[in-house]
Amino acid sequence: MIIDGKKEALKLRNKIKEEISLIKNKTQKAPSLVVILIGDFEPSKIYVKNKEKASKEVGINSKVVKYPKDVKESEIVKKILDLNNDKEVSGILVQLPLPKHINVRNILLEINPKKDVDGFHPMNLGNLIEGNPQFIPCTPHGVIQILKYYNIPIC
């Protein structure tokens, strides 16, 4: 079976756009995503640019906060804590990989699990394993949705 990824992505974006419109009508504000990008790793820059574009296409406010690769871990933690407390921020995503001097686990632990759109916080991973996910990491979630849509058995 061959799946037309572009066609499926367009259908999904349209569905998400409708859901975001309903949220805006109900709450009078759009969800917002803040992505933290550290360093100048080209694949990460491209990935973040695509996330920002996709967010805007469906009506999600998107902001990218950029730091140089030599930023101190404490500065990233402070930013995450500020974002956790910002009621205008719906979701936080720290683009991985991080520079070697920054402890990924420390960073992921600081993100409020309710704003952890990647689903990497240990609480979200535990909920996922228990079958009660709040956020599912996007790539596995996308694969599962495609398998379900085409009625392909999931192990």
Side-chain angles (χ1 to χ4, degrees), residues 135-150:
F135 294 106
I136 301 172
C138 61
T139 301
H141 184 63
V143 170
I144 290 168
Q145 293 306 308
I146 290 170
L147 294 173
K148 284 181 179 178
Y149 181 81
Y150 286 100

Side-chain angles (χ1 to χ4, degrees), residues 21 24 31 60 81 91 107 112 135 149-150 153-154:
S21 181
K24 283 181 181 178
I60 296 173
L81 295 176
I107 296 300
N112 180 332
F135 294 106
Y149 181 81
Y150 286 100
I154 302 171

